[in-house]
PDB file of all heavy atoms in Angstrom:
ATOM      1  N   GLU A 325      95.823 172.276 333.798  1.00 97.00           N
ATOM      2  CA  GLU A 325      95.526 173.181 332.689  1.00 97.00           C
ATOM      3  C   GLU A 325      95.133 172.445 331.409  1.00 97.00           C
ATOM      4  O   GLU A 325      94.509 173.019 330.530  1.00 97.00           O
ATOM      5  CB  GLU A 325      96.741 174.095 332.436  1.00 97.00           C
ATOM      6  CG  GLU A 325      96.986 175.029 333.624  1.00 97.00           C
ATOM      7  CD  GLU A 325      98.368 175.683 333.627  1.00 97.00           C
ATOM      8  OE1 GLU A 325      98.966 175.815 332.545  1.00 97.00           O
ATOM      9  OE2 GLU A 325      98.844 176.039 334.724  1.00 97.00           O
ATOM     10  N   HIS A 326      95.528 171.181 331.305  1.00 98.00           N
ATOM     11  CA  HIS A 326      95.255 170.460 330.035  1.00 98.00           C
ATOM     12  C   HIS A 326      94.541 169.121 330.234  1.00 98.00           C
ATOM     13  O   HIS A 326      94.309 168.402 329.264  1.00 98.00           O
ATOM     14  CB  HIS A 326      96.573 170.230 329.277  1.00 98.00           C
ATOM     15  CG  HIS A 326      97.270 171.515 328.920  1.00 98.00           C
ATOM     16  ND1 HIS A 326      97.039 172.192 327.754  1.00 98.00           N
ATOM     17  CD2 HIS A 326      98.160 172.259 329.626  1.00 98.00           C
ATOM     18  CE1 HIS A 326      97.769 173.308 327.728  1.00 98.00           C
ATOM     19  NE2 HIS A 326      98.462 173.371 328.855  1.00 98.00           N
ATOM     20  N   GLN A 327      94.250 168.762 331.482  1.00 97.00           N
ATOM     21  CA  GLN A 327      93.564 167.476 331.779  1.00 97.00           C
ATOM     22  C   GLN A 327      94.307 166.283 331.179  1.00 97.00           C
ATOM     23  O   GLN A 327      93.714 165.321 330.674  1.00 97.00           O
ATOM     24  CB  GLN A 327      92.094 167.496 331.283  1.00 97.00           C
ATOM     25  CG  GLN A 327      91.201 168.492 332.006  1.00 97.00           C
ATOM     26  CD  GLN A 327      91.504 169.929 331.592  1.00 97.00           C
ATOM     27  OE1 GLN A 327      91.546 170.272 330.407  1.00 97.00           O
ATOM     28  NE2 GLN A 327      91.760 170.782 332.580  1.00 97.00           N
ATOM     29  N   ILE A 328      95.611 166.378 331.193  1.00 98.00           N
ATOM     30  CA  ILE A 328      96.438 165.257 330.733  1.00 98.00           C
ATOM     31  C   ILE A 328      97.360 164.882 331.896  1.00 98.00           C
ATOM     32  O   ILE A 328      97.988 165.762 332.503  1.00 98.00           O
ATOM     33  CB  ILE A 328      97.290 165.656 329.499  1.00 98.00           C
ATOM     34  CG1 ILE A 328      96.359 165.988 328.319  1.00 98.00           C
ATOM     35  CG2 ILE A 328      98.267 164.543 329.119  1.00 98.00           C
ATOM     36  CD1 ILE A 328      97.068 166.496 327.084  1.00 98.00           C
ATOM     37  N   ILE A 329      97.404 163.609 332.212  1.00 98.00           N
ATOM     38  CA  ILE A 329      98.241 163.209 333.352  1.00 98.00           C
ATOM     39  C   ILE A 329      99.520 162.552 332.852  1.00 98.00           C
ATOM     40  O   ILE A 329      99.479 161.537 332.140  1.00 98.00           O
ATOM     41  CB  ILE A 329      97.495 162.230 334.289  1.00 98.00           C
ATOM     42  CG1 ILE A 329      96.092 162.785 334.543  1.00 98.00           C
ATOM     43  CG2 ILE A 329      98.259 162.069 335.605  1.00 98.00           C
ATOM     44  CD1 ILE A 329      95.463 162.417 335.801  1.00 98.00           C
ATOM     45  N   ILE A 330     100.632 163.160 333.200  1.00 98.00           N
ATOM     46  CA  ILE A 330     101.934 162.532 332.965  1.00 98.00           C
ATOM     47  C   ILE A 330     102.555 162.314 334.342  1.00 98.00           C
ATOM     48  O   ILE A 330     102.061 162.847 335.337  1.00 98.00           O
ATOM     49  CB  ILE A 330     102.858 163.388 332.053  1.00 98.00           C
ATOM     50  CG1 ILE A 330     103.099 164.769 332.677  1.00 98.00           C
ATOM     51  CG2 ILE A 330     102.288 163.517 330.659  1.00 98.00           C
ATOM     52  CD1 ILE A 330     104.189 165.577 331.972  1.00 98.00           C
ATOM     53  N   ALA A 331     103.613 161.525 334.406  1.00 98.00           N
ATOM     54  CA  ALA A 331     104.174 161.175 335.722  1.00 98.00           C
ATOM     55  C   ALA A 331     105.469 161.941 335.971  1.00 98.00           C
ATOM     56  O   ALA A 331     106.218 162.249 335.033  1.00 98.00           O
ATOM     57  CB  ALA A 331     104.444 159.674 335.766  1.00 98.00           C
ATOM     58  N   GLY A 332     105.723 162.208 337.247  1.00 98.00           N
ATOM     59  CA  GLY A 332     107.002 162.814 337.627  1.00 98.00           C
ATOM     60  C   GLY A 332     108.014 161.711 337.923  1.00 98.00           C
ATOM     61  O   GLY A 332     107.804 160.547 337.574  1.00 98.00           O
ATOM     62  N   GLY A 333     109.095 162.082 338.567  1.00 97.00           N
ATOM     63  CA  GLY A 333     110.085 161.091 338.984  1.00 97.00           C
ATOM     64  C   GLY A 333     109.744 160.589 340.380  1.00 97.00           C
ATOM     65  O   GLY A 333     109.002 161.253 341.112  1.00 97.00           O
ATOM     66  N   GLN A 334     110.287 159.413 340.729  1.00 93.00           N
ATOM     67  CA  GLN A 334     110.008 158.842 342.050  1.00 93.00           C
ATOM     68  C   GLN A 334     111.303 158.778 342.851  1.00 93.00           C
ATOM     69  O   GLN A 334     112.396 158.683 342.290  1.00 93.00           O
ATOM     70  CB  GLN A 334     109.439 157.434 341.893  1.00 93.00           C
ATOM     71  CG  GLN A 334     108.115 157.408 341.157  1.00 93.00           C
ATOM     72  CD  GLN A 334     107.768 156.015 340.647  1.00 93.00           C
ATOM     73  OE1 GLN A 334     108.540 155.384 339.942  1.00 93.00           O
ATOM     74  NE2 GLN A 334     106.609 155.526 341.020  1.00 93.00           N
ATOM     75  N   ASP A 335     111.154 158.791 344.155  1.00 93.00           N
ATOM     76  CA  ASP A 335     112.292 158.653 345.070  1.00 93.00           C
ATOM     77  C   ASP A 335     113.417 159.637 344.704  1.00 93.00           C
ATOM     78  O   ASP A 335     113.171 160.819 344.614  1.00 93.00           O
ATOM     79  CB  ASP A 335     112.784 157.194 345.098  1.00 93.00           C
ATOM     80  CG  ASP A 335     111.647 156.245 345.523  1.00 93.00           C
ATOM     81  OD1 ASP A 335     110.731 156.716 346.230  1.00 93.00           O
ATOM     82  OD2 ASP A 335     111.662 155.073 345.125  1.00 93.00           O
ATOM     83  N   GLU A 336     114.621 159.097 344.412  1.00 93.00           N
ATOM     84  CA  GLU A 336     115.749 160.008 344.156  1.00 93.00           C
ATOM     85  C   GLU A 336     115.588 160.806 342.860  1.00 93.00           C
ATOM     86  O   GLU A 336     116.338 161.746 342.613  1.00 93.00           O
ATOM     87  CB  GLU A 336     117.086 159.241 344.175  1.00 93.00           C
ATOM     88  CG  GLU A 336     117.295 158.296 342.997  1.00 93.00           C
ATOM     89  CD  GLU A 336     117.023 156.822 343.326  1.00 93.00           C
ATOM     90  OE1 GLU A 336     115.914 156.514 343.836  1.00 93.00           O
ATOM     91  OE2 GLU A 336     117.908 155.995 343.070  1.00 93.00           O
ATOM     92  N   LEU A 337     114.591 160.416 342.039  1.00 97.00           N
ATOM     93  CA  LEU A 337     114.395 161.134 340.775  1.00 97.00           C
ATOM     94  C   LEU A 337     113.253 162.150 340.850  1.00 97.00           C
ATOM     95  O   LEU A 337     112.885 162.768 339.843  1.00 97.00           O
ATOM     96  CB  LEU A 337     114.134 160.129 339.643  1.00 97.00           C
ATOM     97  CG  LEU A 337     115.306 159.182 339.365  1.00 97.00           C
ATOM     98  CD1 LEU A 337     114.923 158.111 338.360  1.00 97.00           C
ATOM     99  CD2 LEU A 337     116.522 159.961 338.876  1.00 97.00           C
ATOM    100  N   LYS A 338     112.729 162.294 342.060  1.00 97.00           N
ATOM    101  CA  LYS A 338     111.627 163.249 342.259  1.00 97.00           C
ATOM    102  C   LYS A 338     112.056 164.643 341.772  1.00 97.00           C
ATOM    103  O   LYS A 338     113.168 165.085 342.089  1.00 97.00           O
ATOM    104  CB  LYS A 338     111.310 163.295 343.762  1.00 97.00           C
ATOM    105  CG  LYS A 338     110.065 164.065 344.126  1.00 97.00           C
ATOM    106  CD  LYS A 338     109.754 163.796 345.595  1.00 97.00           C
ATOM    107  CE  LYS A 338     108.541 164.460 346.145  1.00 97.00           C
ATOM    108  NZ  LYS A 338     108.112 165.706 345.789  1.00 97.00           N
ATOM    109  N   ASP A 339     111.214 165.282 341.006  1.00 97.00           N
ATOM    110  CA  ASP A 339     111.435 166.622 340.448  1.00 97.00           C
ATOM    111  C   ASP A 339     112.527 166.687 339.369  1.00 97.00           C
ATOM    112  O   ASP A 339     112.716 167.714 338.740  1.00 97.00           O
ATOM    113  CB  ASP A 339     111.751 167.655 341.551  1.00 97.00           C
ATOM    114  CG  ASP A 339     110.473 168.287 342.093  1.00 97.00           C
ATOM    115  OD1 ASP A 339     109.432 168.173 341.409  1.00 97.00           O
ATOM    116  OD2 ASP A 339     110.509 168.864 343.182  1.00 97.00           O
ATOM    117  N   LYS A 340     113.230 165.583 339.174  1.00 98.00           N
ATOM    118  CA  LYS A 340     114.337 165.626 338.197  1.00 98.00           C
ATOM    119  C   LYS A 340     113.900 165.160 336.802  1.00 98.00           C
ATOM    120  O   LYS A 340     114.426 165.622 335.803  1.00 98.00           O
ATOM    121  CB  LYS A 340     115.488 164.731 338.677  1.00 98.00           C
ATOM    122  CG  LYS A 340     116.081 165.204 340.007  1.00 98.00           C
ATOM    123  CD  LYS A 340     117.492 164.655 340.179  1.00 98.00           C
ATOM    124  CE  LYS A 340     118.231 165.301 341.321  1.00 98.00           C
ATOM    125  NZ  LYS A 340     117.690 164.954 342.641  1.00 98.00           N
ATOM    126  N   ILE A 341     112.987 164.202 336.774  1.00 98.00           N
ATOM    127  CA  ILE A 341     112.543 163.711 335.462  1.00 98.00           C
ATOM    128  C   ILE A 341     111.019 163.749 335.390  1.00 98.00           C
ATOM    129  O   ILE A 341     110.343 163.861 336.425  1.00 98.00           O
ATOM    130  CB  ILE A 341     113.007 162.254 335.181  1.00 98.00           C
ATOM    131  CG1 ILE A 341     112.373 161.255 336.181  1.00 98.00           C
ATOM    132  CG2 ILE A 341     114.519 162.142 335.221  1.00 98.00           C
ATOM    133  CD1 ILE A 341     112.579 159.779 335.794  1.00 98.00           C
ATOM    134  N   PHE A 342     110.505 163.680 334.168  1.00 98.00           N
ATOM    135  CA  PHE A 342     109.078 163.367 334.022  1.00 98.00           C
ATOM    136  C   PHE A 342     108.965 162.202 333.055  1.00 98.00           C
ATOM    137  O   PHE A 342     109.909 161.893 332.302  1.00 98.00           O
ATOM    138  CB  PHE A 342     108.251 164.587 333.591  1.00 98.00           C
ATOM    139  CG  PHE A 342     108.584 165.178 332.260  1.00 98.00           C
ATOM    140  CD1 PHE A 342     107.959 164.745 331.101  1.00 98.00           C
ATOM    141  CD2 PHE A 342     109.520 166.201 332.154  1.00 98.00           C
ATOM    142  CE1 PHE A 342     108.266 165.294 329.870  1.00 98.00           C
ATOM    143  CE2 PHE A 342     109.828 166.768 330.912  1.00 98.00           C
ATOM    144  CZ  PHE A 342     109.196 166.311 329.772  1.00 98.00           C
ATOM    145  N   ARG A 343     107.847 161.497 333.153  1.00 98.00           N
ATOM    146  CA  ARG A 343     107.687 160.275 332.354  1.00 98.00           C
ATOM    147  C   ARG A 343     106.352 160.303 331.613  1.00 98.00           C
ATOM    148  O   ARG A 343     105.339 160.682 332.190  1.00 98.00           O
ATOM    149  CB  ARG A 343     107.748 159.052 333.271  1.00 98.00           C
ATOM    150  CG  ARG A 343     109.125 158.863 333.923  1.00 98.00           C
ATOM    151  CD  ARG A 343     109.096 157.799 335.005  1.00 98.00           C
ATOM    152  NE  ARG A 343     108.176 158.160 336.071  1.00 98.00           N
ATOM    153  CZ  ARG A 343     107.414 157.297 336.732  1.00 98.00           C
ATOM    154  NH1 ARG A 343     107.470 156.010 336.442  1.00 98.00           N
ATOM    155  NH2 ARG A 343     106.603 157.711 337.692  1.00 98.00           N
ATOM    156  N   ILE A 344     106.409 159.909 330.357  1.00 98.00           N
ATOM    157  CA  ILE A 344     105.191 159.834 329.545  1.00 98.00           C
ATOM    158  C   ILE A 344     104.955 158.365 329.198  1.00 98.00           C
ATOM    159  O   ILE A 344     105.823 157.702 328.612  1.00 98.00           O
ATOM    160  CB  ILE A 344     105.356 160.666 328.250  1.00 98.00           C
ATOM    161  CG1 ILE A 344     105.587 162.142 328.617  1.00 98.00           C
ATOM    162  CG2 ILE A 344     104.126 160.508 327.356  1.00 98.00           C
ATOM    163  CD1 ILE A 344     105.898 163.037 327.428  1.00 98.00           C
ATOM    164  N   GLY A 345     103.802 157.877 329.593  1.00 98.00           N
ATOM    165  CA  GLY A 345     103.435 156.502 329.231  1.00 98.00           C
ATOM    166  C   GLY A 345     102.722 156.538 327.887  1.00 98.00           C
ATOM    167  O   GLY A 345     101.860 157.391 327.661  1.00 98.00           O
ATOM    168  N   HIS A 346     103.110 155.645 326.979  1.00 98.00           N
ATOM    169  CA  HIS A 346     102.437 155.587 325.664  1.00 98.00           C
ATOM    170  C   HIS A 346     102.154 154.119 325.405  1.00 98.00           C
ATOM    171  O   HIS A 346     102.874 153.447 324.678  1.00 98.00           O
ATOM    172  CB  HIS A 346     103.285 156.226 324.563  1.00 98.00           C
ATOM    173  CG  HIS A 346     104.768 156.155 324.805  1.00 98.00           C
ATOM    174  ND1 HIS A 346     105.486 155.008 324.610  1.00 98.00           N
ATOM    175  CD2 HIS A 346     105.641 157.081 325.275  1.00 98.00           C
ATOM    176  CE1 HIS A 346     106.760 155.239 324.924  1.00 98.00           C
ATOM    177  NE2 HIS A 346     106.877 156.486 325.345  1.00 98.00           N
TER     178      HIS A 346
END
Side-chain angles (χ1 to χ4, degrees):
E325 294 164 25
H326 299 271
Q327 294 73 52
I328 296 175
I329 313 208
I330 59 170
Q334 297 163 306
D335 302 334
E336 70 259 54
L337 297 173
K338 189 170 181 324
D339 271 343
K340 298 201 168 69
I341 64 169
F342 62 90
R343 294 170 299 143
I344 298 174
H346 29 77

